[in-house]
Amino acid sequence: VMKRLLSLIITLALLIGCKDKENKNQENQNKAQPSEEEVPKVDLSGFEYSLNGESVILTKCTRVGQVIVPSTIEGFAVTTIGENAFYRNSGMTSLTLPSTLTSIGNSAFRECIKITNVTIPPNVTSIGVSAFSGCIGLKTVQFLGDAPEESKYMFKDAPATLYFDPGKNGWDKPFGGRPLKAMSEFPN
């Protein structure tokens, strides 16, 4: 009788333990799947910004390595890279700009010596004075839209070749004091 009772107690303990583990696994699976209300958070470490009405101005970036500027912050479009925002960020090795961008401020990327390629999104209409000055590693700049407003020293001391889409406006004259080529000539 004692053996049967002990055997029954062990069996019940195992069944309860297994059921408990099954419930915990179910709870963990439910937690791993974000609800529809949850919005994935963008990692904003190393970025400083200010809200300007319905848009965001990125005012400073200290990130290093591959830097991807988010298209939205706090639900608003990032439209402007502010003056000196990336100035002397010598640890940044690559840069991706969002399609929401319309303006790049004065000296925004000045002396970012390790970036080699930049693609200017199609809605950028303004690039400030010395925006890419001193970017001595910059080899190529691809413009996806119309030629933006030109300013002084945009690419001073930056050995870049500029590539443009011939179907866009404003590329029929020299730009930025740098060699200008059609996108079809971009090196693969």
Side-chain angles (χ1 to χ4, degrees):
V1 177
M2 199 63 145
K3 282 186 181 180
R4 258 189 224 182
L5 188 59
L6 187 58
S7 175
L8 184 61
I9 291 172
I10 291 173
T11 304
L12 283 173
L14 286 173
L15 285 174
I16 291 170
C18 288
K19 189 68 176 166
D20 229 17
K21 190 173 184 179
E22 195 176 293
N23 287 342
K24 283 183 182 175
N25 283 342
Q26 184 71 32
E27 286 173 18
N28 287 342
Q29 283 178 352
N30 289 343
K31 285 181 186 175
Q33 298 171 351
S35 70
E36 292 175 25
E37 296 170 9
E38 291 180 33
V39 176
K41 293 228 177 206
V42 176
D43 177 12
L44 298 175
S45 59
F47 287 122
E48 292 178 21
Y49 60 93
S50 63
L51 298 177
N52 182 26
E54 297 291 310
S55 64
V56 174
I57 299 171
L58 194 62
T59 57
K60 186 163 182 70
C61 178
T62 57
R63 284 188 169 195
V64 296
Q66 178 185 15
V67 175
I68 299 171
V69 177
S71 59
T72 60
I73 295 176
E74 293 188 30
F76 297 108
V78 175
T79 59
T80 304
I81 304 293
E83 287 190 25
N84 302 308
F86 288 76
Y87 181 62
R88 287 193 175 158
N89 184 337
S90 60
M92 177 174 56
T93 56
S94 72
L95 173 67
T96 302
L97 298 172
S99 61
T100 54
L101 199 63
T102 60
S103 176
I104 298 173
N106 297 339
S107 299
F109 299 99
R110 188 174 185 169
E111 296 181 28
C112 291
I113 59 173
K114 291 183 182 171
I115 56 172
T116 58
N117 181 10
V118 173
T119 299
I120 306 296
N123 297 319
V124 172
T125 57
S126 163
I127 298 178
V129 174
S130 298
F132 293 94
S133 287
C135 294
I136 59 175
L138 190 58
K139 303 290 181 231
T140 61
V141 179
Q142 299 174 67
F143 287 88
L144 301 182
D146 293 342
E149 211 176 285
E150 193 170 1
S151 63
K152 291 182 181 180
Y153 315 119
M154 284 182 0
F155 297 102
K156 184 176 187 249
D157 299 325
T161 298
L162 312 181
Y163 294 87
F164 68 97
D165 179 344
K168 303 296 180 177
N169 298 317
W171 296 109
D172 54 347
K173 60 187 186 293
F175 187 83
R178 302 299 317 143
L180 194 58
K181 295 183 177 183
M183 199 71 78
S184 60
E185 297 180 55
F186 188 78
N188 291 328

